[in-house]
Amino acid sequence: SSSSSSSFSSPIVSDKSAEINTVMRMAEQQENQGSIQTAKQIYRKLLESNPRNVELLTRIGRLEIISLKYREAIDVLQKAVELNGHCTSALKHLGAAHFSIGQFAAAADAYKRCIGESTHESDRIDALVWVAECYFRTGAVEAAVALVQEVGKVDGTHQHACRLYAEILASKGHIQLAVQFALKSFVANTTGKLEAVLLASLLQREGAMKVLLDTVPLNGSAMASAYAFMAVAIKDHGAVNESIELYRHALSADLSNVSVALNLVHAIEVTFDYHLALATAIDFVRSNSSMHNAQFALFYEVQSAVDQISSSFPSSSSSSPLATASAGVSGSGAEAVYTEQQLNSLALVFTIIKLAFVVGKLDLVQAVLSVVARYQSGRDLHLTTIRNENAYFCCIDQLMHDAPPPTSSQSAQTCYVLGDSHCLSPAWRQVNIAIDQTVVTFTLKPLLVTGVKIWHLRDESAFYPKHQFFKAVDSIPIGSVVICVLGEIDCREGLLLAVEKDRYASLEEGIETIIDIYVGILQKLISDKKLKIFVHPVLPVLNETRPLVTLFNQLLKRKLRQASNLVYLDFFDSLLDLAGGLREEFKLDGTHIHPAYLSSLQRPLD
């Protein structure tokens, strides 16, 4: 399928129902494949010869809502309602469009009409709850309560009504009841985003975590799993500290649960306390060094490696019963498939390597790498649940093997490299930067924000990488020199999908939106922390995204010409060969760039 308007050509159709249905099915197929833009093009072409077709107008309006184009949705849905005021689908979507832009009175009117026209009780109840939410948003709290209670008499498990009632209770200061209703809603739909968002929001209120712990007491490993599940859900929506608390409680009830330990360490990473995350991971390994068997003595071997080289992590007095057996193991049983516990154990050790690298404990990195290599080699771990941790392992393993950072260097000031995993390649190496006409040597210290997109940093986002990004920023001393390397994940994952969904009219518009967010944030950092910021181009490491990355950098460079306090590091072209591919000497693991590229980065810094 294609999202390009120039590549789409709709068949000519008449007003015959069979032909209309055939073309509608074409549009449905495009929508099911994620090509919202193409689906809308098909419907709009069909609408030209069938301008009074209410179903067509309603479908277009629904897709405009998916594209976040609410005013366009209102226009077409209003036409549908004018043509047929009994169409509950059009009325429902019209209410949703008005609600999404804060037009609560208009939304309530549409939903009230929907109630009057509904022939199914479930549709009537759904619309009634939306009217209640419109009342709540406009301050008519008691009217909202009355409607929610009316719904409760008919359907006491209605999800939207439970969520709304929890919000109303919280607004009145009834935190205990609010949390209990939010929990009821979450348990009824554990995969629901709205339920998780509500629970995350409430648990950040004073006293709410105590209510949760009292309502769902921790009494064994089964409830530990429930705590861990809630922790995953609320972390994604900004309740990071509360997530950590739940993970700690879960681990206290199930001391050898590797999955919980791994997720606890990842949650601590989000607070940007990498030293605590590293200590937590090593402490778990020590406490469980007798786990597994002689063919998988990973934790025992890692503990031994840590104890031999790192005085900052005191050795446990306990000895492992696997000591004798593991000493004679020469292979890891490559013919066997790893269990989930073994995969999570590897992921935890991979994370120790990542954390140690980021905080500069390169001797610890090397020691643990030498232990874990045989457990990782020959395995398709990129196809498993630990593919993300494995990707960090592969990158750092190759960096340490092909171009290890210097373990000791001349005295230098610190330049912070703030960004996604692309901050690892330059980490702990040195560059010279001209500051006030004086050349100063800087050591590049990575401030890793795992998986961050620029899109995550927009004002309305609550996704946890945003939390980690600003915790990283908090760690930077006022007046520091910073290199920002962001945008590669936006190019790889976000932008094309957003255009497919017709969130933007073109790729250029989408990129410019992302760049505006980026520059706005960097300008605020300069204002708040007096930073000297250099903006790193997005790296052209992937063949599939290189054209998009090239366009992104062109537009970023153009934008930064207008910002006198931001310096674009203009070396992107020097990374490419004559055929437009990444130069051979800059290839590392297929995803990250070789540190040799610093020779190119150095030029605009001179």
Side-chain angles (χ1 to χ4, degrees), residues 93-104:
H93 291 307
L94 180 60
H98 280 300
F99 186 92
S100 296
I101 56 174
Q103 296 178 348
F104 300 121

Side-chain angles (χ1 to χ4, degrees), residues 307-545:
D307 290 345
Q308 287 174 19
I309 57 91
S310 181
S311 59
S312 61
F313 297 102
S315 176
S316 170
S317 59
S318 61
S319 61
S320 169
L322 288 176
T324 303
S326 64
V329 175
S330 59
S332 58
E335 70 282 353
V337 176
Y338 283 149
T339 64
E340 181 181 357
Q341 185 188 55
Q342 289 172 331
L343 285 172
N344 286 329
S345 299
L346 273 168
L348 186 63
V349 174
F350 291 165
T351 302
I352 287 174
I353 291 168
K354 177 183 77 172
L355 295 169
F357 186 87
V358 169
V359 301
K361 294 184 178 293
L362 302 184
D363 54 346
L364 178 59
V365 172
Q366 197 62 63
V368 180
L369 280 174
S370 65
V371 167
V372 77
R374 70 186 181 90
Y375 290 96
Q376 194 270 351
S377 179
R379 302 279 183 166
D380 290 329
L381 296 181
H382 63 288
L383 302 177
T384 70
T385 55
I386 67 166
R387 57 188 174 275
N388 290 337
E389 290 89 353
N390 181 66
Y392 274 103
F393 166 82
C394 291
C395 176
I396 294 170
D397 182 51
Q398 199 148 352
L399 284 172
M400 295 298 288
H401 181 269
D402 292 359
T407 53
S408 61
S409 58
Q410 66 188 76
S411 177
Q413 296 187 38
T414 299
C415 171
Y416 298 90
V417 186
L418 173 64
D420 55 28
S421 62
H422 294 289
C423 73
L424 298 181
S425 293
W428 307 117
R429 302 165 203 278
Q430 293 190 335
V431 294
N432 296 318
I433 302 177
I435 303 291
D436 297 328
Q437 298 183 334
T438 300
V439 176
V440 181
T441 299
F442 287 86
T443 296
L444 300 174
K445 180 178 181 178
L447 298 182
L448 171 64
V449 184
T450 299
V452 67
K453 298 177 184 176
I454 296 169
W455 179 246
H456 294 152
L457 306 180
R458 68 196 190 281
D459 288 342
E460 59 270 30
S461 172
F463 195 34
Y464 68 85
K466 177 181 179 180
H467 183 101
Q468 187 177 10
F469 177 86
F470 285 106
K471 285 292 184 181
V473 167
D474 288 344
S475 74
I476 303 173
I478 290 174
S480 295
V481 177
V482 179
I483 296 175
C484 288
V485 52
L486 292 169
E488 192 272 327
I489 306 178
D490 295 272
C491 292
R492 174 161 34 101
E493 295 180 359
L495 280 163
L496 288 174
L497 182 60
V499 174
E500 284 282 308
K501 289 184 177 180
D502 204 28
R503 301 278 170 84
Y504 308 111
S506 65
L507 196 53
E508 288 81 357
E509 181 187 335
I511 292 172
E512 287 170 350
T513 300
I514 297 296
I515 289 173
D516 284 344
I517 295 170
Y518 193 14
V519 172
I521 288 166
L522 298 184
Q523 297 277 24
K524 189 172 189 310
L525 296 187
I526 292 171
S527 173
D528 292 348
K529 305 203 71 167
K530 315 304 179 192
L531 304 178
K532 172 71 173 177
I533 294 181
F534 295 93
V535 182
H536 195 293
V538 177
L539 290 166
V541 285
L542 298 177
N543 294 333
E544 297 82 0
T545 60

Side-chain angles (χ1 to χ4, degrees), residues 105-123:
D109 288 343
Y111 284 122
K112 286 176 185 176
R113 291 180 64 182
C114 190
I115 293 169
E117 299 295 341
S118 293
T119 56
H120 298 288
E121 180 67 0
S122 61
D123 292 339

Side-chain angles (χ1 to χ4, degrees), residues 48-66:
E48 291 176 5
S49 53
N50 301 273
R52 298 178 64 81
N53 188 305
V54 173
E55 183 178 358
L56 268 176
L57 289 165
T58 302
R59 290 188 179 206
I60 293 169
R62 179 177 57 80
L63 293 184
E64 294 290 13
I65 291 173
I66 292 174

